Amino acid sequence: PPALSKKSRAWDVYYGAYAQGQSIEVIATRGEATKGKPVQKATVVSQLMTAVLCGRSVDLRAMAAAQGGVPRCIPNKDEWERVDEAAALLKVRVLEEDNFSAKELIAKVLGYPHTDAMPGSGSAAYEAVSQWYEKLRWWAFIHRAGVPVSWN
């Protein structure tokens, strides 16, 4: 599990609301850990991922559904293999590194020569790139959680 400071225990607040039966959407809207300020669903999902890594039980399907469904956030077999290959080339040690450069990894996966060649946030091509940030978050999470991956 990740090393936790008092500040990083925000996941515990989010998990507490989740364990009491609140949906990810409701938790995001109510801002459980932010004194009522709404947060993105991705924030709640990220905190629940930390809860899983700390031994808590969470419905992974519900987490994926809150982010647009499995195809949008979890890499398929081809994408998974491309990420694994790019991570090996960049020497990303996902089990040891919490903060690897997702942007560099995405650039490698998508075949950009460097991160400066990637489309900017104002361009139409950026949506495809932005979706990869979520796919990488899930790829890293699944590795760290030790979830077996099979492609049946």
Side-chain angles (χ1 to χ4, degrees), residues 28 72 74 101 130 146:
R72 175 160 175 77
I74 300 177
S101 173
S130 70

Side-chain angles (χ1 to χ4, degrees), residues 121-139:
S121 61
S123 72
Y126 183 73
E127 174 58 26
V129 171
S130 70
Q131 189 174 344
W132 273 96
Y133 283 96
E134 212 47 60
K135 288 181 182 268
L136 282 187
R137 183 189 330 234
W138 277 85
W139 169 83

